[in-house]
């Protein structure tokens, strides 16, 4: 199935943003309302609202320092936010404290949410002392306590899916950057998450290797997987997204379907941003 067909299926199922069809009755996989995040006196996120329903591909774009990666890390509870609501499939995160002292109050809930929101980082973060197969198997076996033989079968399958099934027994240092990032995607997939979160997945790669990873992401989008993607690659955002969010100075400056946001940007700041982008 291609990306256009996957989008059509999602539209027929119903879009909670109200752009298409009948509203879905399922709660969003991820829903963020009024989120604020500061580092000391630096106010990075200033009341951000965002959601992704099942099967949605949402891309976050904007200049460096706009708050994209911080928003993604807050969604996965890797960063504590000072105010606002975060919910996973309708379940609100439980907080303790307020303001700078606010933090998640239920460790079991945090573990459950994180195992269902698999993160793919810019710098791969593979364990250098483990083979690629071991890297992919580690979390399902040690964190989820799954049967090792069953996990190995699944790990080999996802490595085949991302095109490096022949690299199971090598170590990360023996792979190219593109292959390492595909291994990191396989590791995320092996957790069977409800959503995949990508933080600039291609920015550390040269253009040739970048396309290897872009192909994998496009394939995942065509399968209807729920994904949040922070990216500098406007072509990727345009091609795979159901919804694009443009962040500027910690706020959502503009958002909408990719054809509208890239084809007819309304805000002056987004127009300026896109005018300096050659990849669309």
């Amino acid at each position: 199935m291609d990306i256009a067909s996957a989008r059509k299926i999602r539209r027929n199922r119903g879009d909670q943003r109200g752009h298409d069809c009948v509203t879905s009755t399922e709660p969003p996989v991820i829903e963020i309302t009024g989120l604020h995040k500061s580092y000391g006196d630096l106010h990075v996120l200033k009341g951000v609202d965002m959601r992704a329903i099942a099967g949605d591909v949402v891309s976050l774009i904007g200049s460096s320092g706009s708050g994209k990666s911080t928003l993604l890390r807050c969604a996965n509870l890797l960063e504590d936010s000072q105010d606002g609501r975060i919910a996973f499939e309708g379940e609100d995160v439980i907080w303790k404290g307020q303001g700078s002292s606010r933090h998640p109050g239920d460790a079991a809930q945090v573990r459950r949410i994180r195992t269902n929101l698999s993160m793919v980082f810019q710098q791969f973060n593979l364990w250098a002392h483990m083979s690629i197969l071991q890297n992919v198997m580690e979390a399902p076996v040690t964190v989820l306590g799954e049967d090792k033989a069953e996990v190995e079968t699944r790990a080999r399958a996802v490595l085949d899916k991302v095109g490096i099934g022949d690299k199971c027994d090598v170590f990360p240092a023996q792979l190219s950057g593109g292959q390492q990032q595909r291994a990191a995607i396989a590791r995320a997939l092996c957790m069977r998450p409800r959503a995949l979160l990508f933080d600039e997945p291609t920015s550390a790669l040269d253009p040739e290797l970048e396309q290897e990873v872009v192909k994998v992401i496009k394939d995942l989008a065509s399968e209807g997987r729920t994904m949040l993607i922070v990216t500098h690659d406007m072509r990727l955002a345009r091609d795979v997204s159901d919804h694009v969010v443009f962040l500027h100075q910690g706020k959502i400056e503009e958002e909408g379907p990719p054809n509208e946001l890239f084809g007819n940007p309304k805000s002056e700041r987004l127009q300026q941003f896109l005018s300096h982008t050659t990849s669309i």
Side-chain angles (χ1 to χ4, degrees), residues 240-257:
V240 306
S241 303
D242 299 287
H243 197 75
V244 180
V245 175
F246 173 61
L247 283 161
H248 176 56
Q249 295 182 349
K251 296 181 179 180
I252 295 178
E253 178 81 6
E254 190 168 339
E255 60 180 314

Side-chain angles (χ1 to χ4, degrees), residues 183-196:
I185 294 172
R187 180 177 59 186
L189 287 171
C190 200
M191 292 290 287
R192 295 186 289 193
R194 294 286 288 128
L196 291 163

Side-chain angles (χ1 to χ4, degrees), residues 26 39 44 54 79 90 130 135 153 155 212 262:
E26 294 182 7
Y39 297 99
V44 179
E79 296 277 359
M130 293 183 178
N135 264 278
T153 299
E212 299 176 3
F262 292 117

Side-chain angles (χ1 to χ4, degrees), residues 115 118 127 130 133-146 151 154 187-188 190-191:
T115 57
S118 286
W127 289 291
M130 293 183 178
L133 181 62
Q134 289 170 330
N135 264 278
V136 174
M137 292 177 59
E138 179 68 11
V141 172
T142 61
V143 176
L144 301 181
E146 295 186 17
V151 172
R154 187 164 78 244
R187 180 177 59 186
C190 200
M191 292 290 287

Side-chain angles (χ1 to χ4, degrees), residues 124 126 132 164 172-185:
F124 323 140
L126 298 172
I132 295 304
I164 53 171
Q174 298 171 273
L175 300 183
S176 69
Q179 289 170 330
Q180 289 189 58
Q181 189 61 292
R182 284 186 281 162
I185 294 172

